Amino acid sequence: MPVTTFDFGERYTYQNGFGSYLETEVFQGALPIGQNSPQKPPYGLYAEKLSGTAFTAPRHENKQSWLYRVLPACAHPPFASTADGPFKSDKPTDPAKLEYIPNQLRWDPFDHDDQTDFVSGLHLVAGAGDPTLKQGIGMYIYAAGKSMAENSAFYSADGDLLIVAQDGVLDIRTELGWLLVRPMEICVIPRGIKYQVHLPSGPVRGYALELYQGHFALPELGPIGSNCLANARDFQAPVACYSEDFGPTASEGSTAYTITVKFNNSLFQTKQAHTPFDVVAWHGNYYPYKYDLGRFNTIGSISYDHPDPSIFTVLSAPSDHPGTAVADFVIFPPRWLVAENTFRPPWYHRNTMSEFMGLIAGEYDAKKGGQGGFMPGGASLHNVMSGHGPDAKSFEGASNAELKPALVGKGSCAFMFESCLMVGVTEWGLKMCKKVQEGYSEESWGGVQVHWKKPEGVTANSHLLK
C-alpha cells in the first residue's frame, strides 16, 4: 500500500508538489495580482521577500517567496547571545570540537528527555564544514518532552533542516502555515523560516540533518524515466495561516514573543511585541514541506546482483561536482527481493562517502536487531573508507538462504544520511550520550568465518616477471 496508515490522524490541508510555484491566502484578495510589491498591498499588509538563493541564481535553482504579513520580520529589538541551548563552546555538542576518527560506530537507542523542548533537545552527533562559508552539514538527534512556548519561535540562519520523525508526533507551526509530521514522515524547514514545535502525542525522538549549502532536490532519474522513487506530487506544503496578536505599532503589543536564531552554531535571542506568525498570504517556491515515506516507489534488481543503494535516494543536495552529493537522504523501506544467484543484502563496502544510518521502525535486514544490535532510535556511522557490511550472522544467513521471492523490511524503515564529506563526531556523540556500543566492530565482524579453500591442482599465476 503506497500510503502509510498513521495512528495519529491528519489535521491540516496542504498544497502538493516539490519545488512548485505555489500561492495561498487566508482571505481572498490578500495576494496582489500581477505584481509583487504594490505601493499599498491589500488589506494594509506589508510585502516581504524571502530569498533562499542569490537573486541571480539560475532560474531552475532560484528559490524565493513573497510574504504578505501584518508586520515585517525586521521589526524587533537587537538579538543578544544566549547561554541556553546546545551550541555553546562549553557544551558537549560544540561543533568546533569535532573528533575525526576512522572507527565504525554504532549507538544504542538515544534517550527520551521529558524536560526539553525541540530546540533545547537538539543534540549534534556529527558534522563537517562551516556554516559561515555555507559549506557542510550537521547530523542531529532530537529528544523532547514538552512543546515550545506559544510565545516563542525558532529559525536557523545556518541551513535547511531535514527532520526524520522516529517516535512521537511533531505539530509544526511555521510562518507559512502548519505541518503535521508523524513517524514515517519527514519534513524540511528551509533556512530562515521561523517555526514552533508542539508535541500533541507526548514525548518525541528522531533524527535531523542540517544542510549548510544549497537546498535539497529530487535525484535525477536518468534511464529510470519520468517516474519512480519520490514523486513530486506527493510532497506537501502548508497553506497560509496567521494569528492576530499585535498592537498599533511593532513595539506596542501586549505579548512578548521570544525569537531564537541559530547563527554560526550559536544561539541568539530577542523579544518582540508581536507574533511572528502573521503571514496572511504568500506565493513562491521557497517553503517548508513534508513527505510520507510510505509513498516512495522503490525499485530494484529483477535479475541478479544488489544495485547501489543510490536507487533508494529520496532527496539529494548536490555538490559542485556532478553526481556527488553533499548530502543524500536514502531510505530502505519494505521491498521485494527476487535476484537470482545473488547475495541479496548490501554487500561489504568501503566508501568515499560517509554513511550515517538510523532506524525508524522494525529491523534492518543486514544487521541483527535486539539488545546490542541496530535498533529503532539508534544509529551508526561508517566514515570515509571505513569498511562495513552485513554482520557475521546476517552473512551466513543470506549466503545459505533459499532464493525465492522474499518481502523484506515489512513494518520496518531504515534510512541513511550519506555525504561526500568526512564527518567528525562531537563529545556528546562519543561520550556524553553514553550510547556508543563499544563492542560493535568485534560483535559484528569478529566472528566472520574464513571460507577460503585453496584450489587443488590449479597453478597460481605469478606476479613476478619471467
Side-chain angles (χ1 to χ4, degrees):
M1 187 73 178
V3 178
T4 301
T5 301
F6 295 103
D7 294 332
F8 196 99
E10 182 57 78
R11 290 180 165 182
Y12 308 116
T13 59
Y14 299 99
Q15 306 175 91
N16 288 0
F18 185 88
S20 304
Y21 202 100
L22 303 176
E23 63 176 41
T24 172
E25 56 189 1
V26 177
F27 301 105
Q28 186 174 358
L31 286 169
I33 303 299
Q35 64 179 125
N36 297 316
S37 185
Q39 183 180 24
K40 291 186 176 183
Y43 305 134
L45 297 169
Y46 286 88
E48 178 180 87
K49 184 173 183 175
L50 178 63
S51 294
T53 55
F55 296 144
T56 52
R59 184 172 283 238
H60 69 280
E61 296 178 357
N62 209 294
K63 298 289 185 183
Q64 62 156 359
S65 286
W66 280 91
L67 316 183
Y68 300 91
R69 60 192 315 157
V70 175
L71 287 165
C74 58
H76 62 76
F79 282 93
S81 180
T82 173
D84 295 331
F87 303 106
K88 298 295 288 184
S89 61
D90 60 343
K91 300 292 179 68
T93 53
D94 178 17
K97 297 178 181 178
L98 295 175
E99 186 170 344
Y100 291 81
I101 55 177
N103 296 334
Q104 304 100 330
L105 294 170
R106 188 161 71 191
W107 291 267
D108 284 328
F110 294 93
D111 290 336
H112 284 87
D113 188 344
D114 60 5
Q115 300 302 308
T116 61
D117 64 16
F118 180 81
V119 176
S120 57
L122 282 168
H123 297 284
L124 183 69
V125 177
D130 185 343
T132 68
L133 302 176
K134 294 187 176 178
Q135 295 176 351
I137 55 173
M139 300 171 177
Y140 295 86
I141 296 296
Y142 69 82
K146 58 184 181 181
S147 298
M148 291 174 62
E150 292 282 353
N151 62 334
S152 70
F154 173 77
Y155 74 94
S156 175
D158 290 345
D160 293 5
L161 190 68
L162 186 159
I163 299 172
V164 183
Q166 185 273 319
D167 187 24
V169 178
L170 305 175
D171 195 6
I172 305 176
R173 181 170 204 183
T174 78
E175 291 180 272
L176 278 65
W178 290 83
L179 294 171
L180 188 72
V181 183
R182 300 157 290 186
M184 285 299 291
E185 287 183 309
I186 62 168
C187 75
V188 174
I189 302 179
R191 182 197 309 264
I193 292 181
K194 298 183 181 74
Y195 62 98
Q196 182 186 88
V197 181
H198 301 268
L199 312 182
S201 68
V204 297
R205 180 180 60 193
Y207 311 86
L209 175 72
E210 189 166 32
L211 178 67
Y212 301 154
Q213 61 189 95
H215 303 286
F216 289 103
L218 295 178
E220 297 294 341
L221 294 179
I224 294 173
S226 55
N227 297 287
C228 279
L229 309 187
N231 292 308
R233 68 182 291 247
D234 292 322
F235 288 81
Q236 297 179 299
V239 297
C241 178
Y242 84 109
S243 291
E244 294 215 14
D245 193 355
F246 40 81
T249 69
S251 59
E252 295 181 276
S254 59
T255 305
Y257 283 83
T258 300
I259 311 299
T260 304
V261 54
K262 178 174 176 284
F263 198 91
N264 187 25
N265 280 322
S266 294
L267 296 184
F268 296 80
Q269 286 186 343
T270 187
K271 291 185 183 294
Q272 64 186 46
H274 55 96
T275 177
F277 303 111
D278 65 353
V279 177
V280 178
W282 61 268
H283 67 83
N285 63 358
Y286 191 61
Y287 45 76
Y289 54 87
K290 75 167 187 170
Y291 175 72
D292 172 8
L293 298 178
R295 302 188 183 200
F296 186 79
N297 188 188
T298 311
I299 64 173
S301 174
I302 55 173
S303 55
Y304 62 88
D305 280 357
H306 188 294
D308 291 344
S310 48
I311 62 168
F312 301 124
T313 302
V314 180
L315 294 171
S316 182
S319 70
D320 57 4
H321 189 78
T324 302
V326 174
D328 280 333
F329 175 64
V330 180
I331 65 171
F332 304 95
R335 59 204 181 278
W336 281 94
L337 301 182
V338 299
E340 297 180 310
N341 191 30
T342 294
F343 182 76
R344 288 178 173 177
W347 11 255
Y348 292 103
H349 190 207
R350 288 181 296 163
N351 194 356
T352 188
M353 310 282 278
S354 298
E355 303 179 12
F356 179 93
M357 285 193 66
L359 187 59
I360 299 170
E363 191 166 312
Y364 182 49
D365 59 304
K367 292 288 193 316
K368 72 179 182 71
Q371 188 64 35
F374 187 41
M375 299 174 63
S380 68
L381 173 64
H382 301 138
N383 225 320
V384 171
M385 289 302 172
S386 296
H388 55 279
D391 56 39
K393 182 178 178 180
S394 298
F395 175 84
E396 294 299 327
S399 295
N400 296 289
E402 180 185 356
L403 292 182
K404 58 184 179 181
L407 176 64
V408 299
K410 187 174 183 179
S412 172
C413 188
F415 75 88
M416 179 165 63
F417 297 148
E418 186 176 48
S419 175
C420 65
L421 305 174
M422 182 180 291
V423 299
V425 186
T426 62
E427 182 186 3
W428 187 88
L430 283 175
K431 300 174 184 177
M432 301 297 290
C433 70
K434 298 181 180 180
K435 295 298 179 182
V436 173
Q437 296 178 2
E438 300 295 345
Y440 170 45
S441 180
E442 176 63 26
E443 291 170 8
S444 294
W445 303 295
V448 172
Q449 300 178 38
V450 176
H451 294 288
W452 160 252
K453 293 181 180 179
K454 185 177 180 179
E456 297 180 2
V458 179
T459 302
N461 294 322
S462 175
H463 62 286
L464 299 174
L465 286 173
K466 295 181 180 179

